[in-house]
Amino acid sequence: MDRQAFPLVPGRECGACHACCQYLNIDTPQLRKPPNILCRHWNNGCGIYEDRPGPCRTFFCGWRITAYLDDDWRPDRSNIFLRVAPTESGTPGVDVNLIGELTDEMTHELLRYIGGLIESQIATYIVIPGPPGHGAAKMLLNNRMRPALQTRIYENALAAFREAVRVARAFETRPVGPSVP
């Protein structure tokens, strides 16, 4: 997606978070990094920051571009790595990557966030990272969760979400991207 379409939240920095350095697939002449493997240049910071390749230079997670998400949503704190990505039609969608276990409070906040996206008719996907070097399991949530969300009963939304995660975790993932250097 064009980074200019989604400006950064002023004053918001990555800090110690390095989710993008682990979960993204980077395949450029300068850097070949498979998905779900921590970049070899990460060492408490990017070792090639000044010379990092274009995909690293232009990518910012959903937390960096969404002002109403507070600091608890930073991926290394929330275990949620949000990514704005184009859908097949070219419109922006949101990938909700689950990169660790969620607290009950974060699950509640995530369901509110997902509900708002779906209500706004934004394509919303649950993404479960695969093993190192494999793609992720990705499933559209909109039609699957809309009926439960429309009841406005938290337990219904939670059950639909948990079922979506269960189904997505059962998907087979395949190796993608460059081979491990």
Side-chain angles (χ1 to χ4, degrees):
M1 301 277 344
D2 175 14
R3 185 175 105 49
Q4 300 302 337
F6 302 99
L8 293 173
V9 176
R12 189 169 283 178
E13 300 294 331
C14 298
C17 185
H18 59 274
C20 59
C21 301
Q22 178 157 349
Y23 295 101
L24 296 180
N25 178 37
I26 307 294
D27 192 4
T28 68
Q30 182 184 357
L31 178 62
R32 297 175 54 81
K33 190 208 80 64
N36 310 316
I37 294 175
L38 184 60
C39 180
R40 69 181 184 270
H41 297 290
W42 177 263
N43 185 13
N44 292 320
C46 180
I48 60 169
Y49 187 80
E50 293 303 319
D51 299 316
R52 66 196 186 281
C56 300
R57 192 172 293 282
T58 60
F59 177 81
F60 296 97
C61 74
W63 174 74
R64 292 282 316 268
I65 61 175
T66 309
Y68 64 86
L69 298 178
D70 66 24
D71 286 345
D72 291 340
W73 281 82
R74 195 173 87 179
D76 63 328
R77 295 176 180 151
S78 66
N79 289 323
I80 301 166
F81 177 50
L82 299 173
R83 183 176 184 187
V84 176
T87 63
E88 289 178 8
S89 68
T91 61
V94 176
D95 290 350
V96 177
N97 295 264
L98 298 182
I99 59 173
E101 293 300 316
L102 304 180
T103 64
D104 290 343
E105 182 179 334
M106 186 50 67
T107 300
H108 184 77
E109 292 301 314
L110 178 59
L111 288 176
R112 288 172 38 123
Y113 177 72
I114 288 171
L117 292 172
I118 291 173
E119 190 174 308
S120 297
Q121 299 183 11
I122 296 171
T124 307
Y125 298 86
I126 191 71
V127 180
I128 308 295
H134 283 65
K138 181 175 177 175
M139 183 174 62
L140 182 66
L141 292 177
N142 295 58
N143 292 337
R144 178 177 288 274
M145 288 194 62
R146 184 176 286 115
L149 290 166
Q150 288 174 337
T151 69
R152 303 280 190 218
I153 299 172
Y154 177 74
E155 290 76 17
N156 293 352
L158 180 61
F161 176 73
R162 286 183 174 157
E163 177 62 10
V165 170
R166 186 194 68 74
V167 170
R169 284 193 171 133
F171 289 169
E172 183 178 336
T173 61
R174 293 194 162 84
V176 298
S179 60
V180 177

